[in-house]
Amino acid sequence: MEYQKSEKHHYKIIRMKKVIVAFIAVLSIVSCKESKKVAIKSSVPFVWNNATVYFLLTDRFNNGDTTNDIQFERTQKTGKLRGFEGGDIKGITQKIKEGYFDKLGVNAIWMTPIVEQIHGGTDEGTGLTYGFHGYWTKDWTKIDPNYGTKKDLKELVATAHKHGIRILLDAVINHTGPVTKKDPVWPSEWVRTSPQCTYNSYKNTITCTLVKNLPDIKTESNEAVELPKQLIEKWKSEGRYEEEKAELDAFFKRTGYPRAPRFYIIKWLTDYITEFGIDGYRVDTVKHTEENVWQEFRTECDYAFTQWKANNPDLVMDANDFYLTGEVYGYGISGGKYYNFGDKAVNYFDKSFNSLINFEFKWNAKQLSNEDMHTKYDSILKHNLKDYGVLNYLSSHDDGQPFDPARKQIKETANRLLLGLGASQIYYGDESARSLIIEGTVGDATLRSFMNWNEITNDKETKDVLSYWQKLGQFRKNHPAVGAGKHQILSKEPYVFSRTFIQEDYQDKVVIGLDLKANEVSVGSVFKEGETIRDAYSNTLLKVKNGKVKVLSNQSILLLEKHNN
């Protein structure tokens, strides 16, 4: 979420139905003892708690269409990294087709909002800023032409699904974009423009504007309101007023909801499910809206997803329900199902979210050993958060204190994130050491440079970093046990642990070793005596002898899996 000023930038059930995604991966494995190719077949269920979610700023990832780079005369000079830079929907599709995400083991992509942004810019001491980030909505019903078209989005979703990748869009319900000369304020029955939030209580976090000049939608209201005049005029000029009005009439007739502000926006957002078949939403600024809003949003998301599946039976990926993950700024896994405002604790999982973004993860990674962290997460996810989940991250678009801003702990970042319990969020460029320290920027802009494709193509060190992330990412994708399994330590010195996962008749088990210094490690009873297993990291076959396997002399990590002849 882009704020000019804020509290550090603004502070279910995973109803797993029978979910078996069958695919056959044929891998060439060369044994350390035998130079022969081995075909591995696997049938792996997709589980959201083991998802590897790639989070990208739509405008900053890849420019697939240079003809849409300038729209609505957004041509004024901006502060550094505060204007549109050309990334678009076609650019993401291009990288999916090239196999970039497949090689990284990504099975879900979260994009920043793609709805039409305010046409003007703001200047609050950071230099002029346009809504390149997507969080300054002007019209929820239209894709911003800087990002692309409906046709582009349809192709993106279809292409992603063919690659086994889910698409998460980003939902904003609690505010419009800032007011500019080109973007008038919405009517007073729709928004409040004061007071600003003080964040010291439940009310002072919700019934207020997040920052100056960010009109707050009156999500608490049940009073019927008319469409804003500026939206009516816009739709008429675009020749779609009657169509949009008829759709709204049908929505309110079907649901019986009052024509209150939040229900208009819920309708507009769920249209992206019905029309494009997206798989989920990451929801912005969750704690700045009454919790019942998210229960209502969940209801309509589920309805829309059911309709899309019924209308597109040949395109349905699996039996998973629609996925909602929420940004409750400051929420940590230690809080279990609750976020505490000080004067009120709220359960945002209740009839709403499958998971919440885990702001605690990076601090745990700094303060806890691998084993202490894994044990803690195993206990909470299997008990307090049973049937729910968290989305872990180590860097993001608006967290000014990332785990490794200087990119000096690239392998440790990968180990913590991709071998951790719960869903993992790669922020674009984590895997390629994209710099998070950009000279001349102010605030969040330092986190939002364009993806470093040139270094990925031409720099050997960057290629080596990416290769490491790809190996761990592929292993995670192929094994639900990694993020969703039961954790058990096998050896402290060297550090070796197992993960096991069972879902109906599907079973998965892996053994992982980190910081290895010995020439052999224990696999406990996970693998049978005499069994030949595969190390996915070194791409070698190993035999279990006396409950142990031998390790290559220079190897510091093991990713052990069952070997299928």
Side-chain angles (χ1 to χ4, degrees):
M1 168 65 202
E2 170 76 12
Y3 299 151
Q4 296 119 318
K5 301 174 184 175
S6 73
E7 46 157 358
K8 290 186 179 179
H9 307 299
H10 80 270
Y11 288 149
K12 86 188 139 302
I13 294 177
I14 284 188
R15 290 160 286 191
M16 291 190 302
K17 296 180 180 177
K18 302 164 185 177
V19 42
I20 298 283
V21 180
F23 70 89
I24 296 179
V26 179
L27 302 174
S28 295
I29 304 172
V30 180
S31 169
C32 57
K33 296 181 179 179
E34 299 176 285
S35 297
K36 67 177 182 179
K37 293 183 178 180
V38 183
I40 289 187
K41 297 180 180 180
S42 59
S43 179
V44 183
F46 173 78
V47 181
W48 276 108
N49 268 358
N50 185 59
T52 300
V53 180
Y54 194 94
F55 169 37
L56 56 86
L57 266 72
T58 308
D59 177 68
R60 298 294 162 86
F61 184 66
N62 187 40
N63 192 344
D65 183 0
T66 58
T67 66
N68 63 15
D69 288 358
I70 298 176
Q71 303 288 332
F72 306 121
E73 299 180 333
R74 293 168 174 150
T75 57
Q76 289 183 270
K77 180 178 175 59
T78 67
K80 189 166 184 178
L81 289 177
R82 290 189 171 272
F84 284 87
E85 299 214 346
D88 48 34
I89 296 169
K90 280 187 177 179
I92 302 169
T93 304
Q94 177 185 325
K95 290 301 176 181
I96 297 174
K97 289 180 177 179
E98 290 175 4
Y100 183 79
F101 298 104
D102 295 331
K103 293 174 184 176
L104 191 55
V106 168
N107 45 25
I109 296 173
W110 153 27
M111 307 157 53
T112 47
I114 57 173
V115 298
E116 187 172 323
Q117 298 296 286
I118 59 172
H119 294 182
T122 68
D123 189 347
E124 293 290 327
T126 57
L128 184 75
T129 301
Y130 285 120
F132 68 90
H133 43 73
Y135 294 97
W136 287 352
T137 306
K138 183 181 184 73
D139 185 350
W140 276 273
T141 70
K142 188 177 180 184
I143 295 173
D144 194 293
N146 258 103
Y147 305 135
T149 65
K150 284 187 174 184
K151 181 180 177 182
D152 296 337
L153 183 58
K154 286 181 179 179
E155 183 184 13
L156 169 67
V157 175
T159 303
H161 285 178
K162 288 178 182 177
H163 285 251
I165 298 171
R166 280 81 180 156
I167 294 297
L168 307 181
L169 295 186
D170 203 318
V172 182
I173 292 182
N174 85 298
H175 64 272
T176 67
V179 179
T180 76
K181 291 180 180 179
K182 294 184 177 182
D183 308 283
V185 66
W186 286 46
S188 58
E189 61 265 29
W190 274 80
V191 303
R192 62 174 60 83
T193 55
S194 65
Q196 277 186 239
C197 298
T198 57
Y199 308 108
N200 58 4
S201 68
Y202 178 79
K203 179 180 179 180
N204 292 338
T205 303
I206 295 178
T207 314
C208 48
T209 68
L210 296 175
V211 295
K212 181 182 178 182
N213 193 23
L214 198 66
D216 182 67
I217 296 290
K218 292 182 176 179
T219 50
E220 79 283 2
S221 174
N222 286 316
E223 296 299 316
V225 297
E226 297 297 325
L227 283 166
K229 180 180 178 181
Q230 62 263 45
L231 203 55
I232 294 174
E233 292 174 351
K234 180 178 184 294
W235 290 352
K236 285 183 176 180
S237 70
E238 294 169 350
R240 58 192 182 95
Y241 170 70
E242 294 300 332
E243 178 184 357
E244 293 291 346
K245 184 175 180 297
E247 287 187 10
L248 284 167
D249 290 343
F251 172 80
F252 286 112
K253 181 178 181 180
R254 174 182 67 81
T255 62
Y257 294 135
R259 289 177 179 257
R262 69 183 184 276
F263 292 115
Y264 282 90
I265 300 173
I266 287 173
K267 185 271 180 191
W268 295 331
L269 287 171
T270 54
D271 281 349
Y272 290 89
I273 306 171
T274 308
E275 184 169 357
F276 301 100
I278 65 169
D279 305 279
Y281 266 118
R282 175 268 188 183
V283 180
D284 187 59
T285 54
V286 167
K287 73 177 184 179
H288 302 287
T289 297
E290 300 78 11
E291 56 269 28
N292 65 281
V293 174
W294 307 123
Q295 295 177 341
E296 294 160 344
F297 187 50
R298 157 60 75 185
T299 297
E300 292 310 309
C301 284
D302 287 346
Y303 177 85
F305 200 48
T306 299
Q307 290 297 109
W308 181 82
K309 284 186 172 184
N311 293 334
N312 301 274
D314 295 338
L315 302 179
V316 176
M317 294 185 72
D318 55 43
N320 272 298
D321 292 332
F322 194 77
Y323 183 73
L324 286 181
T325 187
E327 181 220 25
V328 178
Y329 192 91
Y331 167 82
I333 191 172
S334 294
K337 296 176 185 174
Y338 290 88
Y339 176 80
N340 198 326
F341 286 85
D343 61 341
K344 181 177 181 178
V346 175
N347 178 357
Y348 288 104
F349 292 96
D350 182 31
K351 300 175 185 176
S352 302
F353 290 96
N354 300 97
S355 73
L356 295 181
I357 294 174
N358 180 23
F359 288 82
E360 182 183 334
F361 188 80
K362 64 172 186 175
W363 301 115
N364 293 154
K366 285 178 178 287
Q367 298 162 0
L368 300 178
S369 68
N370 272 289
E371 178 56 23
D372 286 346
M373 191 167 176
H374 295 326
T375 301
K376 171 179 178 173
Y377 278 57
D378 183 72
S379 176
I380 296 174
L381 289 169
K382 298 298 183 296
H383 296 94
N384 290 358
L385 284 180
K386 181 175 171 55
D387 297 323
Y388 301 92
V390 290
L391 179 57
N392 302 315
Y393 78 93
L394 289 173
S395 60
S396 79
H397 64 320
D398 61 1
D399 188 330
Q401 296 179 296
F403 174 72
D404 179 29
R407 302 297 198 187
K408 294 181 179 180
Q409 303 178 66
I410 299 299
K411 288 187 177 181
E412 176 66 7
T413 300
N415 292 348
R416 291 282 186 162
L417 191 62
L418 297 181
L419 301 178
L421 290 163
S424 295
Q425 172 223 292
I426 299 174
Y427 183 47
Y428 78 107
D430 280 350
E431 77 282 15
S432 58
R434 179 181 63 85
S435 178
L436 298 177
I437 303 175
I438 309 296
E439 295 296 326
T441 58
V442 177
D444 294 339
T446 191
L447 308 169
R448 302 173 176 183
S449 60
F450 209 86
M451 183 64 174
N452 56 334
W453 295 115
N454 185 58
E455 293 175 16
I456 289 173
T457 302
N458 300 307
D459 182 70
K460 182 181 183 304
E461 186 175 347
T462 303
K463 289 180 180 179
D464 290 343
V465 166
L466 178 58
S467 176
Y468 188 84
W469 279 73
Q470 287 172 336
K471 289 180 179 181
L472 269 62
Q474 281 287 333
F475 187 71
R476 180 183 179 89
K477 179 180 180 179
N478 292 334
H479 294 287
V482 176
K486 175 65 181 174
H487 175 83
Q488 182 176 352
I489 186 171
L490 299 179
S491 168
K492 189 174 182 180
E493 293 284 344
Y495 180 51
V496 183
F497 59 89
S498 68
R499 299 272 171 78
T500 55
F501 175 83
I502 300 175
Q503 180 175 288
E504 296 184 344
D505 60 351
Y506 176 85
Q507 295 187 25
D508 183 36
K509 54 186 178 181
V510 297
V511 171
I512 299 169
L514 297 175
D515 303 321
L516 304 180
K517 296 176 182 178
N519 63 354
E520 62 179 16
V521 301
S522 170
V523 296
S525 60
V526 179
F527 300 112
K528 298 176 182 178
E529 183 67 19
E531 183 177 359
T532 298
I533 59 178
R534 177 179 182 254
D535 173 29
Y537 185 80
S538 64
N539 196 27
T540 57
L541 300 181
L542 306 170
K543 182 165 287 190
V544 179
K545 186 176 181 179
N546 298 323
K548 298 180 179 180
V549 294
K550 290 187 176 181
V551 185
L552 297 177
S553 59
N554 62 345
Q555 191 168 339
S556 63
I557 181 172
L558 272 178
L559 304 174
L560 300 178
E561 62 187 9
K562 184 177 180 181
H563 166 56
N564 295 320
N565 293 315

